[in-house]
Amino acid sequence: MNQHPKMDIYASTLYVVPTPIGNLQDITWRALSILQGVDLIAAEDTRHTGLLLKYFSINARLFALYDYNEQQKTSILLKKMKDGQSIALVCDAGTPLINDPGYHLVRCCHATGIRVVPLPGACAAITALSAAGLPSDRFCYEGFLPSKRKARLNSLQALAHEPRTLIFYESPHRLLESIKDMVIVWGPMRYVVLARELTKTWETIYGAPIEKIFAWIQGDDMRRRGEIVLIVEGYCEQGDKLPSQVLRTLSLLLNELPLKKAAVLAAQIYGLKKNTLYRYALNRQQKI
């Protein structure tokens, strides 16, 4: 593992280098060659990156570049590259700039004519999407929801009718609160896939309607630990696709029963998915 092919490194170039999100064997030969060959590695956490480099027996100079110093330190890195040095940009895990530092540096490189070379590699959002079993031809990456509840509810409301599959990152200590707010804004039947600790020993991928996901997480504290990605089914207006007799039955049931129970009963009567009927009834109720 210590021997990997060497590649040509361009002077005055910024390399954007993804690193593993868990399993160290997921790093590419090209990434190892770049990390070995550049003049400097700009890292989100030099201690964390140092452990990765040590594992692969790579000796390299490290430069700390994180959210709170990126604006200040970018000019230093730009000067080094203008003077001919090559630099690799890495984050703690996954692809730089995806909810990690680097945007300002990359933007300034383009503005000043410095070459930017991106490497393909690990990304938790795409890894989770590939295993979620939800539509992946069109998706919307939203990163972390706001930490303040009012802002979080507003964000969820703005996405209530987004038809694309939604991708969120979430922290363990806010997971239940975020899912609870999803139930409030989107209703309990929207399908969600929770992917945690991807590529690691305790990797878990579990999908269910939001309310069931909430109960499942509450059932075991381990299910809210680690790195978490939420893949959420996009909004789908099903009313035009439902037979008229189904809509009439659902309408009659809604006059007598709570929305969720009416949707479940109508689904049982006609052998349809309760999620479909619930979404239609919820949307109809909101328009009244």
Side-chain angles (χ1 to χ4, degrees):
M1 184 58 66
N2 295 338
Q3 299 298 318
H4 42 271
K6 291 187 177 181
M7 304 180 68
D8 291 334
I9 305 294
Y10 299 110
S12 302
T13 299
L14 178 70
Y15 292 90
V16 182
V17 183
T19 55
I21 58 176
N23 190 324
L24 295 181
Q25 305 305 313
D26 290 335
I27 200 164
T28 66
W29 286 115
R30 186 181 176 204
L32 291 173
S33 182
I34 296 296
L35 294 176
Q36 177 71 71
V38 292
D39 297 303
L40 187 68
I41 298 175
E44 182 181 7
D45 185 329
T46 55
R47 293 168 298 179
H48 186 93
T49 299
L51 294 174
L52 175 70
L53 298 178
K54 182 179 179 180
Y55 180 84
F56 289 106
S57 300
I58 293 175
N59 296 311
R61 292 171 55 215
L62 292 170
F63 183 98
L65 187 78
Y66 45 89
D67 282 330
Y68 298 107
N69 79 346
E70 185 179 353
Q71 298 270 345
Q72 176 189 0
K73 299 296 185 180
T74 288
S75 60
I76 298 174
L77 295 176
L78 290 175
K79 184 178 185 307
K80 289 180 182 295
M81 286 184 283
K82 287 177 182 178
D83 290 341
Q85 291 192 32
S86 56
I87 295 178
L89 172 66
V90 302
C91 56
D92 288 349
T95 301
L97 279 76
I98 310 301
N99 261 104
D100 282 315
Y103 163 74
H104 183 68
L105 174 61
V106 170
R107 185 177 178 86
C108 287
C109 283
H110 287 299
T112 55
I114 292 173
R115 183 177 184 179
V116 178
V117 176
L119 275 66
C123 176
I126 301 303
T127 303
L129 178 64
S130 71
L134 287 172
S136 56
D137 54 335
R138 298 176 67 240
F139 57 89
C140 182
Y141 172 73
E142 290 293 320
F144 285 93
L145 285 165
S147 58
K148 298 293 180 65
R149 187 156 192 259
K150 182 178 180 182
R152 184 165 62 242
L153 288 169
N154 288 339
S155 293
L156 292 172
Q157 186 60 55
L159 294 167
H161 292 89
E162 170 57 62
R164 294 170 293 180
T165 298
L166 298 165
I167 304 176
F168 299 94
Y169 287 165
E170 195 49 273
S171 60
H173 67 277
R174 282 206 308 265
L175 179 62
L176 282 175
E177 287 74 13
S178 290
I179 292 181
K180 186 186 298 183
D181 287 341
M182 288 179 182
V183 173
I184 291 172
V185 177
W186 298 339
M189 304 305 288
R190 184 82 70 97
Y191 193 83
V192 176
V193 175
L194 182 149
R196 58 175 291 273
E197 294 294 89
L198 291 170
T199 80
K200 302 175 186 176
T201 302
W202 304 110
E203 176 180 277
T204 304
I205 300 172
Y206 179 76
I210 300 178
E211 65 172 359
K212 188 174 180 180
I213 283 278
F214 185 83
W216 179 78
I217 295 169
Q218 283 187 313
D220 186 344
D221 285 343
M222 286 294 294
R223 293 169 182 165
R224 72 181 82 173
R225 296 182 183 177
E227 303 292 330
I228 297 166
V229 184
L230 297 174
I231 311 292
V232 183
E233 175 187 32
Y235 173 80
C236 182
E237 174 60 79
Q238 297 288 343
D240 293 339
K241 299 179 182 179
L242 293 171
S244 58
Q245 66 268 27
V246 175
L247 298 181
R248 175 170 172 73
T249 300
L250 180 60
S251 179
L252 291 171
L253 290 171
L254 286 170
N255 290 332
E256 304 295 333
L257 299 170
L259 188 150
K260 181 181 175 182
K261 191 168 184 179
V264 169
L265 285 175
Q268 291 175 346
I269 292 170
Y270 292 101
L272 298 172
K273 292 182 178 180
K274 60 182 179 181
N275 288 14
T276 300
L277 291 171
Y278 182 88
R279 283 196 300 269
Y280 171 77
L282 181 63
N283 186 53
R284 174 178 175 272
Q285 194 173 75
Q286 289 173 343
K287 289 180 178 179
I288 294 177

